[in-house]
C-alpha cells in the first residue's frame, strides 16, 4: 500500500536484511520439514494434503526464517488463515468483522514477539530487520510489525494454494504427473506452469495513475481497479489454444502474472 519514495525506502531497508544467504540457509530446514510431513503421510496411508502438508509447511518455514517464539506459532497460524480471506471477495459482514479482529490481534502478538526478539537476538531474519540501518534510517516498530504480517499473509497463503492446486491438477492429469516423475530437470518449469494454470491468488488491486486504455475502453485516472490474474494466466493470445490445460514443459510458462 505504498508508492515511491516510501516504498523505495522500505524495500531498500528490508533488502539489507532479506539476503540470499538468509534464504539459502532455509534449504535444509525445508527439506527436513517436508521429509517429516511425508513420513507421517506414509504412516497414515491417506490424508488431506492441505492439512497434512500444504498448510503447516510454509508457516513453519516462515516462522523458522524469522526466528519467532515457539509459543506464538499456532495462534499466529489461525490468525493468518483468517486475515488471508481479505484477499478474496467477502460478502459476509461477520467474516469482515472476524478479519478486522484477527488483524488487530496479529499486530499485537507480532509487536510482543518483536519486543521479545530485541532481548533474544539470533541469526534470523527478524533480528536482521530489527537491526538494519541505511545511514540514520531504520524500520519503525509499526513498520516491523507490518513486514512480519506481510511475510506471513503473502508468503503463507500463496504457497498453501500452490501446493494444493498443483497436487489437485496433477491428480486430475495422470499423463502430466508422469511427465513430472519421468523428465529430469523439469521441476522449475513445472512449478511455473502450475502457478499459471491455477493461480494461488486470483485477484489483485491497483489504482490507475493515468487514463488507461484497455480492450477498447479507457479506465479513468484515479480509479480503484481489480485485475483478474487467473484470467490473464489463461490468455490464449499469450499461451496458445491449450491455455486451459496443464503442460509442464510449456516453453513460456514463466510469462504468467
Amino acid at each position: 500500500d505504498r508508492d515511491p519514495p516510501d516504498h523505495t525506502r522500505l524495500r531498500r531497508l528490508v533488502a539489507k536484511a532479506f539476503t540470499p544467504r538468509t534464504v539459502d540457509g532455509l534449504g535444509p530446514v525445508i527439506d527436513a520439514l517436508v521429509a517429516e510431513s511425508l513420513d507421517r503421510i506414509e504412516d497414515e496411508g491417506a490424508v488431506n494434503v492441505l492439512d497434512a502438508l500444504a498448510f503447516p509447511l510454509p508457516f513453519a518455514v516462515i516462522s523458522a526464517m524469522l526466528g519467532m517464539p515457539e509459543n506464538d506459532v499456532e495462534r499466529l497460524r489461525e490468525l493468518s488463515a483468517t486475515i488471508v480471506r481479505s484477499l478474496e471477495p467477502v460478502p459476509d459482514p461477520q467474516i469482515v468483522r472476524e478479519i478486522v479482529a484477527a488483524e488487530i490481534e496479529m499486530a499485537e502478538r507480532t509487536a510482543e514477539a518483536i519486543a521479545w526478539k530485541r532481548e533474544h537476538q539470533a541469526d534470523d531474519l527478524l533480528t536482521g530487520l530489527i537491526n538494519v540501518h541505511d545511514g540514520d534510517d531504520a524500520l519503525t516498530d509499526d513498520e516491523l510489525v507490518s513486514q512480519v504480517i506481510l511475510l506471513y499473509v503473502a508468503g503463507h497463503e500463496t504457497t498453501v494454494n500452490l501446493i494444493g492446486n498443483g497436487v489437485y491438477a496433477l491428480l486430475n492429469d495422470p499423463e502430466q504427473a508422469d511427465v513430472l516423475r519421468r523428465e529430469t530437470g523439469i521441476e522449475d518449469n513445472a512449478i511455473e506452469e502450475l502457478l499459471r494454470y491455477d493461480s494461488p491468488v486470483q485477484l489483485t488491486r491497483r489504482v490507475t495513475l493515468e487514463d488507461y486504455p484497455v480492450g477498447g475502453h479507457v479506465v479513468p485516472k484515479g480509479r480503484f481497479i481489480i485485475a483478474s490474474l487467473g484470467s490473464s494466466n489463461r490468455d490464449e493470445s499469450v499461451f496458445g489454444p491449450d491455455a486451459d490445460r496443464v503442460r509442464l514443459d510449456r516453453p513460456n510458462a514463466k510469462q504468467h502474472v
Side-chain angles (χ1 to χ4, degrees), residues 17 24 55 60 87 103 111 118 123 146-147 164 184 202 223:
D24 290 345
F55 195 73
L87 300 176
E103 287 174 340
R118 288 188 189 280
D123 185 18
S146 294
Q147 293 304 318
T184 305
Q202 289 282 311
R223 289 293 171 87

Side-chain angles (χ1 to χ4, degrees), residues 10 14 129 139 142-152:
L10 286 170
V14 171
L129 290 170
L139 294 169
D142 284 346
E143 288 167 348
L144 280 167
V145 169
S146 294
Q147 293 304 318
V148 171
I149 293 175
L150 173 66
L151 278 169
Y152 272 122

Side-chain angles (χ1 to χ4, degrees), residues 230-247:
S231 176
S232 298
N233 287 339
R234 299 284 187 97
D235 188 343
E236 293 186 1
S237 70
V238 177
F239 298 106
D242 65 348
D244 63 345
R245 288 192 59 244
V246 178
R247 185 151 63 86

